[in-house]
């Protein structure tokens, strides 16, 4: 995580609601320092505070007015724009990074950084872009690539969350694969299950290999593999018990071996 929390700068916003939306996104993703260049009036009972959610308690009231020149002279600057240069010959807006790439690059930057957003509709002017250090653009549909100012800020700040958020509300997603010995025991149980239902010997090897590939890709947890143990164990015991009853009363086995003349081949059988 970067030692410097990025500052968010909004240049010449036209509507207070977008400033409030950006403040809320900052609160969501662990940022607190909002700078405003030529902002609209932000009344405590107005649209900005209405859109800010809990950011009305700190981020928005603590926002500071600043000039564009002060931003450029004080911070490593990243300008966010929907319009980019198409190649290196148009270097005013080129090269550019996506928000995800920006997070990677800023992770190693030990400098005070400002993420700069422009006006609704018009964005940042070329003469402003020329003074900034980096360009960031959100990949969007070629048919309609311009996002609402609040939406664009939310997307960019979301991608920066690994630099700004120590802990989220989501539980730990670390996935601990079951012990290999337990996974091998599962394959043994599966083999016993095939025995209990007298699975066709000609298909057996391929079916067991298919199951091994499936479990290998799934990376089951210990709890998951033990649940599967229980399912197979119970199914195998029930099949064995039913067969004992049939043998005791000399009844034909409905789960007997498939015929050996090839008539068992059915649509969808693996590798047959």
């Amino acid at each position: 995580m970067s030692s410097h929390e990025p500052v968010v700068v909004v240049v010449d916003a036209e509507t207070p609601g977008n400033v409030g939306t950006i403040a809320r996104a900052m609160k969501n993703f662990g940022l607190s320092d909002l700078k405003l260049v030529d902002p609209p009036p932000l009344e405590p009972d107005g649209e900005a505070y209405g859109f800010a959610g809990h950011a009305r308690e700190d981020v928005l009231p603590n926002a500071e007015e600043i000039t564009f020149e002060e931003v450029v002279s004080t911070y490593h600057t990243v300008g966010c724009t929907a319009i980019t240069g198409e190649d290196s010959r148009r270097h005013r807006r080129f090269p550019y990074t996506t928000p995800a790439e920006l997070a990677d690059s800023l992770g190693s930057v030990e400098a005070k950084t400002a993420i700069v957003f422009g006006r609704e509709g018009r964005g940042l002017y070329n003469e402003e872009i020329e003074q900034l250090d980096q360009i960031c653009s959100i990949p969007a549909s070629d048919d309609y690539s311009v996002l609402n100012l609040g939406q664009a800020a939310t997307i960019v700040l979301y991608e920066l969350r690994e630099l700004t958020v120590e802990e989220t509300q989501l539980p730990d997603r670390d996935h601990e694969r079951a012990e290999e010995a337990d996974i091998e025991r599962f394959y043994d149980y599966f083999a016993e299950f095939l025995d209990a239902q007298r699975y066709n010997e000609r298909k057996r090897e391929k079916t067991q290999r298919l199951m091994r590939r499936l479990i290998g890709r799934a990376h089951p947890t210990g709890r998951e593999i033990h649940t599967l143990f229980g399912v197979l164990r119970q199914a195998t015991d029930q099949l064995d018990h039913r067969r004992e009853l049939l043998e005791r009363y000399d009844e034909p086995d409905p789960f007997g071996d498939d015929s050996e003349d090839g008539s068992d081949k059915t649509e969808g059988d693996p590798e047959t």
Side-chain angles (χ1 to χ4, degrees), residues 241-257:
H241 179 65
R242 180 166 184 171
R243 182 158 291 109
E244 288 174 3
L245 292 176
L246 291 172
E247 291 174 354
R248 182 182 305 172
Y249 295 104
D250 199 24
E251 294 287 339
D253 185 357
F255 299 105
D257 291 338

Side-chain angles (χ1 to χ4, degrees), residues 5-13 18-19 22-23 26 31-39 63-72 74-80 112-119 124 128 132 149 153 156-157:
E5 174 192 317
V7 169
V8 175
V9 178
V10 185
V11 176
D12 196 16
N18 273 324
V19 177
I22 292 173
M26 291 174 62
L31 294 99
S32 60
D33 197 349
L34 175 61
K35 308 292 187 187
L36 303 173
V37 176
D38 297 327
E64 298 179 353
E65 288 195 39
I66 193 172
T67 67
F68 190 83
E69 290 72 22
E70 288 174 316
V71 173
V72 171
T74 306
Y75 299 99
H76 171 80
T77 51
V78 180
C80 298
K112 294 190 296 182
T113 300
I115 311 300
V116 184
F117 297 96
R119 307 156 186 83
L124 294 166
E128 293 167 338
L132 303 182
L149 174 58
V156 173
L157 300 185

Side-chain angles (χ1 to χ4, degrees), residues 6-141:
V7 169
V8 175
V9 178
V10 185
V11 176
D12 196 16
E14 298 170 11
T15 60
N18 273 324
V19 177
T21 298
I22 292 173
R24 179 171 185 155
M26 291 174 62
K27 184 83 172 180
N28 287 143
F29 302 118
L31 294 99
S32 60
D33 197 349
L34 175 61
K35 308 292 187 187
L36 303 173
V37 176
D38 297 327
L42 304 178
E43 303 297 337
D45 57 350
E47 189 179 70
Y49 280 80
F51 281 38
H54 285 275
R56 71 169 68 90
E57 300 168 2
D58 45 21
V59 177
L60 196 53
N62 292 328
E64 298 179 353
E65 288 195 39
I66 193 172
T67 67
F68 190 83
E69 290 72 22
E70 288 174 316
V71 173
V72 171
S73 63
T74 306
Y75 299 99
H76 171 80
T77 51
V78 180
C80 298
T81 178
I83 307 303
T84 65
E86 296 177 0
D87 55 41
S88 59
R89 293 172 296 177
R90 303 175 62 186
H91 59 278
R92 179 181 287 141
R93 295 173 180 263
F94 188 95
Y96 56 87
T97 62
T98 66
E101 293 167 338
L102 177 63
D104 289 339
S105 68
L106 292 184
S108 59
V109 172
E110 292 299 323
K112 294 190 296 182
T113 300
I115 311 300
V116 184
F117 297 96
R119 307 156 186 83
E120 299 91 332
R122 293 173 292 168
L124 294 166
Y125 298 143
N126 281 340
E127 55 267 28
E128 293 167 338
I129 288 283
E130 288 174 351
Q131 300 178 65
L132 303 182
D133 299 309
Q134 288 183 253
I135 301 299
C136 177
S137 186
I138 299 169
S141 170

